[in-house]
Amino acid sequence: MESMMAEGRAKKYAFIIGILCSCAVMLGWANTWEDIQRESAKIQSVSAQFSQQKHMQILTKPLVSKGRFYFQAPDSVRWEYSSPIKSVLIMQKGSIKRYTQGSRGLVEDASGSLETMQIVLQEIGRWTRGQFTENEHFSATLKGGKSPRIILTPKEKGLSAMISRIVITLSPDRPGVIKSVKILENEGNYTLFEFTDVQINGKISEKLFREVG
Amino acid sequence: MKVFEPSIRWILVLMVMALFSSCSHLPVINHVDPAAAPDTKERCLRPFLDVPYRFIHSLEVSFPGGRTGTLLGVTVVYPAEKTIHSVIMTIEGFLLFDARYDKEVRVNRAVPPFNAEQFAGHMMEDVRLMFLAPEGKLVDAGVYTDGSSVCRYYGNKDTIVDVSIHKDESWEIKAYSSSHDLLRKIRAFDVQTGIPGMVELSGFGFREYSLRLNLISAEAVSPEANHMRPAKTPEDDE
């Protein structure tokens, strides 16, 4: 039971990252929440390359993971790592699965809980509509200027034990595109996601949200 | 009809049989030419670090029912000081477990189930078994029947450790209880320049588990890194 809860918690975190990043990329360049909501309404699909840098005290240089993610409105997500371990998270129509390359090939990872899926779906609904300020898990601050940023701070004590804050940096010269997402933990540990090759409203094959390979 | 009535003698015989059957046996070590014994002892130290190292592994954990889950592990081992720093995280970078062993275990972070009682201690024992030469007394050395070189150590905690090196330079480390029950088995494969590309760890007894560690990177680290202070939380241009 405890193991299942931990799996759920880990997957919740994974999906929060995935969904946050996918939705964050959809954000338009803006100085007000109204601008963000207006830009969000225009987004139907997003695909991008990502690089994930894990900075920790135990490492002298960050552990870098790379991959690609896809989002199709209203709620389909594919979050795929190509290195150092091949791993694919797929969410479609309320169903969430994770596959990881192991000794038996690309197999489904230990399953998470329904509760986690419900929370994630709620987050998607809010973020895709640009409703950061009405989020029950995070309080949001928007900072405009040359490099607009959204800072999310956990409201719950349990979540704040895992994440101290999240900083989403928007692209200054390309509305709708973000430069990076930084998730800060504690003791200098943080994860930085940087996005390149961001394509908005391009055609994404529906198979990507159904098939792993 | 004659009814069988167990006598005291029969009960004693059964008890003695039960006693013998409950005792496991350690693998037989055949002794080599005394002149070759130092070489055998030298070979037995090959699995263990003599300089500080940092390893990054993917950890494939097997759950009951055949399900598997994959995590990332970072381990830094300082053999001279026998200190270990170990971190486990998800592929997405979420830190699940962070602990340090320096004479005693200090847990910096442990998310359930990694906060289970004795998890950190048992994990550090596994890491020590894998990377640090046994602390106990070397009591025997020779070869197994398959020709592998083997050394047997009697540990400080009533454990017996067999370190065997195969002809292809892969190795096995087995830890037994004082009653010779197998407690842990570590098998290292694909050994290149002394570092295994893959390690299988199996736990037996009350809590059975298995773990496969695939090497992502290995690098020697400075001994001074062991005394570095934790980094401060970075500025994020807020």
Side-chain angles (χ1 to χ4, degrees), chain A residues 15 26-27 41 46 51 60 63 75 78 145 151 174 190 200 205-206 208:
Chain A
F15 276 104
M26 297 186 311
L27 297 174
V46 181
S51 134
T60 49
L63 174 58
D75 58 4
R78 182 184 176 101
I151 296 158
R174 194 178 166 199
Y190 66 97
I200 304 289
S205 170
E206 196 262 341
L208 283 171

PDB file of all heavy atoms in Angstrom, chain A residues 15 26-27 41 46 51 60 63 75 78 145 151 174 190 200 205-206 208:
ATOM      1  N   PHE A  15       4.077  13.807 -13.578  1.00  0.00           N
ATOM      2  CA  PHE A  15       3.063  14.384 -14.441  1.00  0.00           C
ATOM      3  C   PHE A  15       2.913  15.877 -14.222  1.00  0.00           C
ATOM      4  O   PHE A  15       2.631  16.621 -15.151  1.00  0.00           O
ATOM      5  CB  PHE A  15       1.730  13.665 -14.242  1.00  0.00           C
ATOM      6  CG  PHE A  15       1.666  12.434 -15.074  1.00  0.00           C
ATOM      7  CD1 PHE A  15       1.830  11.183 -14.511  1.00  0.00           C
ATOM      8  CD2 PHE A  15       1.493  12.527 -16.444  1.00  0.00           C
ATOM      9  CE1 PHE A  15       1.803  10.053 -15.285  1.00  0.00           C
ATOM     10  CE2 PHE A  15       1.476  11.390 -17.229  1.00  0.00           C
ATOM     11  CZ  PHE A  15       1.627  10.144 -16.652  1.00  0.00           C
ATOM     12  N   MET A  26       2.722  26.445 -23.829  1.00  0.00           N
ATOM     13  CA  MET A  26       1.600  27.014 -24.553  1.00  0.00           C
ATOM     14  C   MET A  26       1.355  28.469 -24.177  1.00  0.00           C
ATOM     15  O   MET A  26       0.585  29.156 -24.818  1.00  0.00           O
ATOM     16  CB  MET A  26       0.333  26.216 -24.238  1.00  0.00           C
ATOM     17  CG  MET A  26       0.418  24.792 -24.699  1.00  0.00           C
ATOM     18  SD  MET A  26      -1.137  23.948 -24.477  1.00  0.00           S
ATOM     19  CE  MET A  26      -1.551  24.357 -22.832  1.00  0.00           C
ATOM     20  N   LEU A  27       1.979  28.892 -23.089  1.00  0.00           N
ATOM     21  CA  LEU A  27       1.676  30.229 -22.611  1.00  0.00           C
ATOM     22  C   LEU A  27       2.150  31.291 -23.584  1.00  0.00           C
ATOM     23  O   LEU A  27       3.261  31.231 -24.081  1.00  0.00           O
ATOM     24  CB  LEU A  27       2.349  30.457 -21.266  1.00  0.00           C
ATOM     25  CG  LEU A  27       1.872  29.543 -20.147  1.00  0.00           C
ATOM     26  CD1 LEU A  27       2.715  29.764 -18.920  1.00  0.00           C
ATOM     27  CD2 LEU A  27       0.411  29.771 -19.869  1.00  0.00           C
ATOM     28  N   ALA A  41      -6.011  30.128 -25.137  1.00  0.00           N
ATOM     29  CA  ALA A  41      -7.197  29.691 -25.877  1.00  0.00           C
ATOM     30  C   ALA A  41      -6.884  29.391 -27.338  1.00  0.00           C
ATOM     31  O   ALA A  41      -7.606  28.649 -28.003  1.00  0.00           O
ATOM     32  CB  ALA A  41      -8.271  30.769 -25.779  1.00  0.00           C
ATOM     33  N   VAL A  46       1.168  21.352 -29.236  1.00  0.00           N
ATOM     34  CA  VAL A  46       2.543  21.804 -29.006  1.00  0.00           C
ATOM     35  C   VAL A  46       3.463  20.591 -29.132  1.00  0.00           C
ATOM     36  O   VAL A  46       3.136  19.508 -28.652  1.00  0.00           O
ATOM     37  CB  VAL A  46       2.732  22.373 -27.569  1.00  0.00           C
ATOM     38  CG1 VAL A  46       4.162  22.866 -27.373  1.00  0.00           C
ATOM     39  CG2 VAL A  46       1.753  23.470 -27.271  1.00  0.00           C
ATOM     40  N   SER A  51      15.494  19.544 -22.797  1.00  0.00           N
ATOM     41  CA  SER A  51      16.682  19.059 -22.105  1.00  0.00           C
ATOM     42  C   SER A  51      16.426  19.271 -20.619  1.00  0.00           C
ATOM     43  O   SER A  51      15.956  20.333 -20.202  1.00  0.00           O
ATOM     44  CB  SER A  51      17.896  19.849 -22.595  1.00  0.00           C
ATOM     45  OG  SER A  51      18.680  20.265 -21.536  1.00  0.00           O
ATOM     46  N   THR A  60      28.968  17.030  -9.522  1.00  0.00           N
ATOM     47  CA  THR A  60      29.785  18.205  -9.832  1.00  0.00           C
ATOM     48  C   THR A  60      29.284  18.876 -11.112  1.00  0.00           C
ATOM     49  O   THR A  60      29.496  20.062 -11.311  1.00  0.00           O
ATOM     50  CB  THR A  60      31.263  17.809 -10.022  1.00  0.00           C
ATOM     51  OG1 THR A  60      31.328  16.703 -10.903  1.00  0.00           O
ATOM     52  CG2 THR A  60      31.903  17.472  -8.693  1.00  0.00           C
ATOM     53  N   LEU A  63      23.168  16.246 -14.211  1.00  0.00           N
ATOM     54  CA  LEU A  63      22.778  15.043 -14.945  1.00  0.00           C
ATOM     55  C   LEU A  63      21.777  15.478 -16.013  1.00  0.00           C
ATOM     56  O   LEU A  63      20.716  16.012 -15.699  1.00  0.00           O
ATOM     57  CB  LEU A  63      22.143  14.041 -13.980  1.00  0.00           C
ATOM     58  CG  LEU A  63      21.541  12.780 -14.588  1.00  0.00           C
ATOM     59  CD1 LEU A  63      22.579  11.988 -15.376  1.00  0.00           C
ATOM     60  CD2 LEU A  63      20.940  11.899 -13.500  1.00  0.00           C
ATOM     61  N   ASP A  75      -6.463  17.127 -23.822  1.00  0.00           N
ATOM     62  CA  ASP A  75      -5.768  16.525 -22.684  1.00  0.00           C
ATOM     63  C   ASP A  75      -4.816  15.380 -23.055  1.00  0.00           C
ATOM     64  O   ASP A  75      -4.586  14.487 -22.254  1.00  0.00           O
ATOM     65  CB  ASP A  75      -6.787  16.018 -21.646  1.00  0.00           C
ATOM     66  CG  ASP A  75      -7.751  15.007 -22.228  1.00  0.00           C
ATOM     67  OD1 ASP A  75      -7.593  14.634 -23.403  1.00  0.00           O
ATOM     68  OD2 ASP A  75      -8.668  14.592 -21.515  1.00  0.00           O
ATOM     69  N   ARG A  78       2.286  13.341 -24.508  1.00  0.00           N
ATOM     70  CA  ARG A  78       3.338  12.326 -24.606  1.00  0.00           C
ATOM     71  C   ARG A  78       4.634  12.993 -24.160  1.00  0.00           C
ATOM     72  O   ARG A  78       5.069  13.997 -24.747  1.00  0.00           O
ATOM     73  CB  ARG A  78       3.471  11.824 -26.049  1.00  0.00           C
ATOM     74  CG  ARG A  78       4.542  10.721 -26.204  1.00  0.00           C
ATOM     75  CD  ARG A  78       4.688  10.341 -27.672  1.00  0.00           C
ATOM     76  NE  ARG A  78       5.745   9.379 -27.881  1.00  0.00           N
ATOM     77  CZ  ARG A  78       5.570   8.079 -28.051  1.00  0.00           C
ATOM     78  NH1 ARG A  78       4.359   7.562 -28.018  1.00  0.00           N
ATOM     79  NH2 ARG A  78       6.601   7.273 -28.246  1.00  0.00           N
ATOM     80  N   GLY A 145       7.911  42.242 -17.924  1.00  0.00           N
ATOM     81  CA  GLY A 145       9.202  42.828 -18.267  1.00  0.00           C
ATOM     82  C   GLY A 145       9.799  42.172 -19.490  1.00  0.00           C
ATOM     83  O   GLY A 145       9.111  41.515 -20.274  1.00  0.00           O
ATOM     84  N   ILE A 151       5.857  32.536 -11.341  1.00  0.00           N
ATOM     85  CA  ILE A 151       6.437  31.822 -10.199  1.00  0.00           C
ATOM     86  C   ILE A 151       5.307  31.123  -9.452  1.00  0.00           C
ATOM     87  O   ILE A 151       4.334  31.771  -9.030  1.00  0.00           O
ATOM     88  CB  ILE A 151       7.200  32.787  -9.273  1.00  0.00           C
ATOM     89  CG1 ILE A 151       8.387  33.373 -10.054  1.00  0.00           C
ATOM     90  CG2 ILE A 151       7.698  32.066  -8.019  1.00  0.00           C
ATOM     91  CD1 ILE A 151       8.906  34.661  -9.513  1.00  0.00           C
ATOM     92  N   ARG A 174       9.216  35.512 -28.587  1.00  0.00           N
ATOM     93  CA  ARG A 174       8.307  34.635 -29.325  1.00  0.00           C
ATOM     94  C   ARG A 174       7.090  34.321 -28.460  1.00  0.00           C
ATOM     95  O   ARG A 174       7.117  33.388 -27.642  1.00  0.00           O
ATOM     96  CB  ARG A 174       9.030  33.342 -29.723  1.00  0.00           C
ATOM     97  CG  ARG A 174       8.259  32.563 -30.763  1.00  0.00           C
ATOM     98  CD  ARG A 174       8.990  31.305 -31.188  1.00  0.00           C
ATOM     99  NE  ARG A 174       8.095  30.438 -31.927  1.00  0.00           N
ATOM    100  CZ  ARG A 174       8.286  29.166 -32.126  1.00  0.00           C
ATOM    101  NH1 ARG A 174       9.384  28.579 -31.675  1.00  0.00           N
ATOM    102  NH2 ARG A 174       7.424  28.449 -32.801  1.00  0.00           N
ATOM    103  N   TYR A 190      17.947  21.446  -7.849  1.00  0.00           N
ATOM    104  CA  TYR A 190      16.888  21.920  -8.723  1.00  0.00           C
ATOM    105  C   TYR A 190      16.956  21.216 -10.075  1.00  0.00           C
ATOM    106  O   TYR A 190      17.968  20.623 -10.440  1.00  0.00           O
ATOM    107  CB  TYR A 190      16.941  23.446  -8.902  1.00  0.00           C
ATOM    108  CG  TYR A 190      18.134  23.996  -9.633  1.00  0.00           C
ATOM    109  CD1 TYR A 190      18.075  24.292 -11.003  1.00  0.00           C
ATOM    110  CD2 TYR A 190      19.323  24.250  -8.964  1.00  0.00           C
ATOM    111  CE1 TYR A 190      19.164  24.821 -11.672  1.00  0.00           C
ATOM    112  CE2 TYR A 190      20.428  24.772  -9.630  1.00  0.00           C
ATOM    113  CZ  TYR A 190      20.342  25.052 -10.976  1.00  0.00           C
ATOM    114  OH  TYR A 190      21.430  25.559 -11.641  1.00  0.00           O
ATOM    115  N   ILE A 200       4.110  25.217 -32.481  1.00  0.00           N
ATOM    116  CA  ILE A 200       2.763  25.457 -31.973  1.00  0.00           C
ATOM    117  C   ILE A 200       1.748  25.169 -33.068  1.00  0.00           C
ATOM    118  O   ILE A 200       1.922  25.575 -34.215  1.00  0.00           O
ATOM    119  CB  ILE A 200       2.601  26.943 -31.524  1.00  0.00           C
ATOM    120  CG1 ILE A 200       3.666  27.312 -30.484  1.00  0.00           C
ATOM    121  CG2 ILE A 200       1.192  27.237 -31.012  1.00  0.00           C
ATOM    122  CD1 ILE A 200       3.493  26.694 -29.139  1.00  0.00           C
ATOM    123  N   SER A 205       0.466  13.323 -34.972  1.00  0.00           N
ATOM    124  CA  SER A 205      -0.239  12.070 -35.205  1.00  0.00           C
ATOM    125  C   SER A 205      -0.887  11.576 -33.926  1.00  0.00           C
ATOM    126  O   SER A 205      -0.268  11.552 -32.855  1.00  0.00           O
ATOM    127  CB  SER A 205       0.747  11.006 -35.722  1.00  0.00           C
ATOM    128  OG  SER A 205       0.111   9.749 -35.717  1.00  0.00           O
ATOM    129  N   GLU A 206      -2.136  11.152 -34.056  1.00  0.00           N
ATOM    130  CA  GLU A 206      -2.887  10.657 -32.890  1.00  0.00           C
ATOM    131  C   GLU A 206      -2.256   9.371 -32.341  1.00  0.00           C
ATOM    132  O   GLU A 206      -2.406   9.055 -31.155  1.00  0.00           O
ATOM    133  CB  GLU A 206      -4.330  10.417 -33.331  1.00  0.00           C
ATOM    134  CG  GLU A 206      -5.337  10.281 -32.208  1.00  0.00           C
ATOM    135  CD  GLU A 206      -5.626   8.827 -31.893  1.00  0.00           C
ATOM    136  OE1 GLU A 206      -5.354   7.948 -32.746  1.00  0.00           O
ATOM    137  OE2 GLU A 206      -6.097   8.569 -30.791  1.00  0.00           O
ATOM    138  N   LEU A 208       0.732   8.857 -31.645  1.00  0.00           N
ATOM    139  CA  LEU A 208       1.723   9.159 -30.603  1.00  0.00           C
ATOM    140  C   LEU A 208       1.138   9.092 -29.201  1.00  0.00           C
ATOM    141  O   LEU A 208       1.860   8.907 -28.231  1.00  0.00           O
ATOM    142  CB  LEU A 208       2.334  10.551 -30.834  1.00  0.00           C
ATOM    143  CG  LEU A 208       3.378  10.653 -31.923  1.00  0.00           C
ATOM    144  CD1 LEU A 208       3.736  12.107 -32.194  1.00  0.00           C
ATOM    145  CD2 LEU A 208       4.638   9.873 -31.555  1.00  0.00           C
TER     146      LEU A 208
END
